[in-house]
Amino acid sequence: MKLSIKQNILMEHLNYVIKGISNKNLIPILNCIKFELTNEGLYLMSTDNEIAIKTFIDKKNIEEIKETGELVVSGKLFYEIIRKLPDNNITIETDSNYKTVITCEKAQFTIIGKSGEDFSYLPVIEKTTPVILSQFTLKEAVRQTIFSIADNDTNKLMTGELFEINGDELRVVSLDGHRISIRKIKMKNSYSPSKVI
């Protein structure tokens, strides 16, 4: 894998995927970020086996793609290196043993990567019945109900929120065993009944 990209563009996408790495992972590969460079662009992925984050940098935002491939590197280490580099072109080059050289201006870093085969693949979600809702409305519904979710892992269902759709009504429900929050939202379109936590 070999590419050249602006520091600020790479950093913007690293800020997304770094949130998918947990400090409590006992499986070393889950402390990593997977990079997959194709002719269309660069995919960045992270997961802790509970949440997964994937982002894409289109080829028009990449200065140069010299060689496609994939790589898995320590997420926190890579993030800190890129964060401290100047806002200029960064070259990332990996050899067949996943030795990765990061170059920017006069700075050069060498880190050891891994094969992407051991990385947990993100589930494919079929987009058969999309629900259309404004970002502001969704954000507000979550903000108004999130205070009553459980903050311990004894009951996994109570650490999430129930989204229930019935016709043109969306209900967002959260509870922690002591409190319950319910937010009802009228939607513009009508949908078949469904529930998800």
Side-chain angles (χ1 to χ4, degrees):
M1 182 176 107
K2 187 172 182 182
L3 77 151
S4 180
I5 188 169
K6 289 271 188 203
Q7 187 267 358
N8 63 336
I9 293 172
L10 182 58
M11 200 61 216
E12 177 187 342
H13 290 270
L14 283 173
N15 282 328
Y16 299 137
V17 293
I18 198 72
K19 294 173 183 155
I21 297 173
S22 169
N23 294 328
K24 303 174 193 171
N25 277 330
L26 300 175
I27 305 167
I29 197 79
L30 296 181
N31 293 319
C32 296
I33 295 174
K34 181 179 179 184
F35 296 85
E36 191 176 319
L37 183 62
T38 67
N39 290 323
E40 289 80 43
L42 178 66
Y43 292 91
L44 288 81
M45 295 164 259
S46 66
T47 182
D48 65 0
N49 275 347
E50 282 190 26
I51 64 163
I53 299 174
K54 182 177 184 178
T55 184
F56 176 70
I57 304 172
D58 194 274
K59 68 179 177 184
K60 67 181 180 200
N61 292 320
I62 298 173
E63 300 297 312
E64 187 177 10
I65 298 174
K66 292 183 181 174
E67 187 180 322
T68 61
E70 61 181 47
L71 166 73
V72 174
V73 293
S74 168
K76 304 269 189 214
L77 176 64
F78 189 86
Y79 178 83
E80 287 302 316
I81 289 171
I82 301 302
R83 187 174 71 84
K84 292 179 179 171
L85 289 175
D87 187 11
N88 209 334
N89 280 349
I90 297 173
T91 302
I92 302 169
E93 187 173 0
T94 305
D95 66 12
S96 58
N97 295 324
Y98 302 104
K99 180 177 147 187
T100 305
V101 179
I102 303 163
T103 311
C104 182
E105 292 180 359
K106 294 180 181 178
Q108 184 172 333
F109 298 89
T110 303
I111 59 175
I112 303 301
K114 302 173 188 172
S115 165
E117 294 173 8
D118 297 334
F119 195 83
S120 297
Y121 283 91
L122 305 180
V124 177
I125 299 170
E126 292 182 29
K127 300 174 186 173
T128 54
T129 55
V131 175
I132 298 168
L133 187 67
S134 83
Q135 178 183 358
F136 175 78
T137 305
L138 179 62
K139 207 172 179 180
E140 281 299 297
V142 171
R143 186 187 64 76
Q144 292 168 352
T145 55
I146 200 164
F147 70 91
S148 64
I149 63 167
D151 47 0
N152 60 12
D153 288 348
T154 54
N155 187 342
K156 288 281 189 193
L157 291 177
M158 289 187 181
T159 61
E161 292 190 317
L162 170 69
F163 287 79
E164 181 180 13
I165 296 172
N166 195 357
D168 65 346
E169 183 179 84
L170 169 67
R171 279 190 343 159
V172 181
V173 182
S174 65
L175 66 143
D176 63 2
H178 303 287
R179 302 173 288 193
I180 185 168
S181 300
I182 302 172
R183 175 77 163 87
K184 294 180 182 178
I185 300 163
K186 276 282 189 211
M187 296 189 294
K188 292 179 182 174
N189 301 325
S190 189
Y191 302 95
S192 57
S194 60
K195 292 180 182 180
V196 66
I197 295 180

